[in-house]
Amino acid sequence: MTTAHQPYDAWNVEENEFPRHGTLDEKLKFLLNYGVLAPSLHNTQPWKFTVHNGEIRILADRTRHLTVADPDARELYISIGCAIENLLTAAAYFGLNSHVTYFPDPHDEIWVATLSFKDIGGTSSLADQELFHAIALRHTNRQTYANKALNERDVQQLRACLHDSGLKLQLNDDPEIKQQVDSLVISADITQFADPDYRDELNRWITQGEFGYRWLIARVGQLATTYLSSHHKTVKPDADIVLNAPMLALLSTDSDNRLAQVQCGQTFERMALIATTLNIGIQPLSQIIQVAQLRGELSKLFDSAAAYPQMAFRLGYTDVAQDAASRRPVETALKV
Ligand SMILES: Cc1cc2nc3c(=O)[nH]c(=O)nc-3n(C[C@H](O)[C@H](O)[C@H](O)COP(=O)(O)O)c2cc1C
């Protein structure tokens, strides 16, 4: 008897179920269980996969594109980059050699990448093993973080995630900058919540239910509080999480094309996995970058005027567990 899919089942993936003696394609299908645990904008999970002849093709699912929050689909491609990173991390753990070809057809934005694999039966390094085990432990952590500076060794590990020369990571713990980022978060919240199309879009995702709506409902509540309090000039809204964060981070790219966005997603996810192994929580603050005029202000604040801000996030040590967000069944992302 098969049991119905439960929204949080995906997190219980068992590595023992990897089909060691199966065909390469059976192994690749198993890897998808780790791909879908990647973070994505509003948990939209905007990816589709095909598995054939030792390859995973990764396709953008534009039916899951949030056209108001993410008009040029920039964050859709970042989200897909996160899924690619999980697939590669899981492949390394299971001894598969991988090669990535990005945008194999330069005229087709939907076909994001082809990952080709060889089963070399190799063994993974200790570092690969740790990263792999972080995949099912990582959650976007929206709690207040411990009031403790990040230690230099941990910061170095996070910095080491940048393999791509077109990417730049800036970390900042200056209270004045935090104050200004905090103001940008509030402005962004107010701008977005004042837009009826934005509210409609958020509402649509919430009523669809399957997308981890607990967080979205909280987000609407937070936006409403920010919006109303700004109008009644009474309480300070709850963006204090920025002021309390030990560290703010900004990932920027040299160019703003699809490849840069996908690779930024890969780096962000790699950082999130490393952070998980170090008990460091991460929460993106994407609203600042989503509001076009604030994106430029953020860039100036972090002194990266020449670059394109892609992911802003806060970081800090945390012992407070964060609830997992739901996932749709893997099969619905597998295109046959
Ligand atoms: C491109 C991108 C933008 C995101 N923006 C935000 C954000 O602004 N605020 C936030 O709390 N989480 C943000 N997230 C995290 C997602 O909401 C989260 O990944 C999703 O709900 C699934 O939850 P999980 O990361 O815990 O698995 C973002 C994630 C991605 C990949």
Side-chain angles (χ1 to χ4, degrees):
M1 193 182 82
T2 51
T3 46
H5 169 82
Q6 298 298 319
Y8 303 96
D9 280 354
W11 297 98
N12 300 327
V13 54
E14 285 285 348
E15 64 174 272
N16 306 336
E17 290 175 12
F18 179 71
R20 268 183 204 290
H21 304 293
T23 63
L24 181 54
D25 284 357
E26 282 164 351
K27 293 178 181 180
L28 300 187
K29 280 190 184 148
F30 188 79
L31 296 189
L32 300 183
N33 290 305
Y34 296 92
V36 301
L37 295 182
S40 59
L41 174 65
H42 287 354
N43 205 14
T44 43
Q45 307 167 53
W47 40 67
K48 270 206 183 299
F49 309 102
T50 67
V51 175
H52 190 56
N53 270 347
E55 288 182 355
I56 301 180
R57 287 186 181 193
I58 295 141
L59 311 167
D61 184 347
R62 294 296 283 248
T63 65
R64 290 168 174 264
H65 173 203
L66 298 180
T67 53
V68 182
D70 183 26
D72 60 2
R74 190 183 56 82
E75 292 180 274
L76 181 147
Y77 284 91
I78 292 178
S79 304
I80 290 177
C82 295
I84 292 177
E85 194 59 25
N86 274 12
L87 289 169
L88 296 176
T89 304
Y93 178 75
F94 289 114
L96 304 176
N97 216 348
S98 50
H99 175 79
V100 187
T101 310
Y102 295 99
F103 297 99
D105 175 352
H107 304 292
D108 184 0
E109 275 201 352
I110 297 295
W111 183 7
V112 179
T114 294
L115 315 188
S116 319
F117 296 90
K118 284 213 166 60
D119 199 346
I120 52 168
T123 48
S124 52
S125 67
L126 259 181
D128 284 344
Q129 292 170 26
E130 259 205 311
L131 268 194
F132 168 77
H133 288 118
I135 294 177
L137 298 173
R138 182 214 58 83
H139 303 296
T140 300
N141 194 311
R142 303 188 178 90
Q143 315 292 331
T144 303
Y145 302 148
N147 181 15
K148 183 177 162 207
L150 299 193
N151 76 51
E152 199 42 44
R153 222 189 32 216
D154 292 351
V155 169
Q156 285 316 323
Q157 284 211 51
L158 293 168
R159 284 195 186 282
C161 294
L162 267 81
H163 300 310
D164 195 289
S165 56
L167 269 161
K168 192 166 172 187
L169 172 68
Q170 284 159 296
L171 298 171
N172 205 307
D173 58 2
D174 177 347
E176 227 168 83
I177 299 287
K178 284 184 204 166
Q179 188 76 54
Q180 296 185 53
V181 172
D182 182 60
S183 302
L184 291 182
V185 166
I186 295 168
S187 299
D189 282 354
I190 292 170
T191 307
Q192 291 190 322
F193 198 67
D195 176 356
D197 292 340
Y198 183 86
R199 292 201 305 266
D200 271 4
E201 186 173 72
L202 216 51
N203 226 349
R204 271 202 309 281
W205 288 111
I206 289 172
T207 43
Q208 291 209 9
E210 73 174 286
F211 299 108
Y213 61 98
R214 276 194 307 219
W215 123 252
L216 280 180
I217 288 174
R219 170 98 184 112
V220 170
Q222 178 217 327
L223 282 171
T225 315
T226 309
Y227 185 70
L228 294 176
S229 59
S230 73
H231 278 246
H232 294 107
K233 304 211 178 330
T234 48
V235 282
K236 168 106 177 54
D238 63 353
D240 287 349
I241 49 164
V242 174
L243 299 177
N244 294 334
M247 187 75 91
L248 298 181
L250 181 64
L251 267 176
S252 313
T253 51
D254 277 355
S255 49
D256 204 12
N257 58 31
R258 296 301 185 210
L259 178 61
Q261 292 158 1
V262 171
Q263 291 184 332
C264 175
Q266 286 189 244
T267 303
F268 173 75
E269 175 61 352
R270 202 170 178 80
M271 288 184 71
L273 295 178
I274 295 272
T276 302
T277 68
L278 301 171
N279 272 338
I280 293 174
I282 284 194
Q283 181 190 12
L285 304 163
S286 299
Q287 60 269 60
I288 311 176
I289 302 179
Q290 286 164 0
V291 177
Q293 68 271 27
L294 301 181
R295 189 180 187 192
E297 288 189 35
L298 184 69
S299 179
K300 279 186 228 142
L301 264 189
F302 276 80
D303 192 26
S304 61
Y308 296 91
Q310 301 289 357
M311 287 297 276
F313 47 102
R314 63 182 183 105
L315 295 155
Y317 294 110
T318 176
D319 288 327
V320 187
Q322 172 74 45
D323 287 343
S326 62
R327 289 296 187 272
R328 61 190 171 120
V330 162
E331 304 76 55
T332 65
L334 184 64
K335 205 169 153 227
V336 278

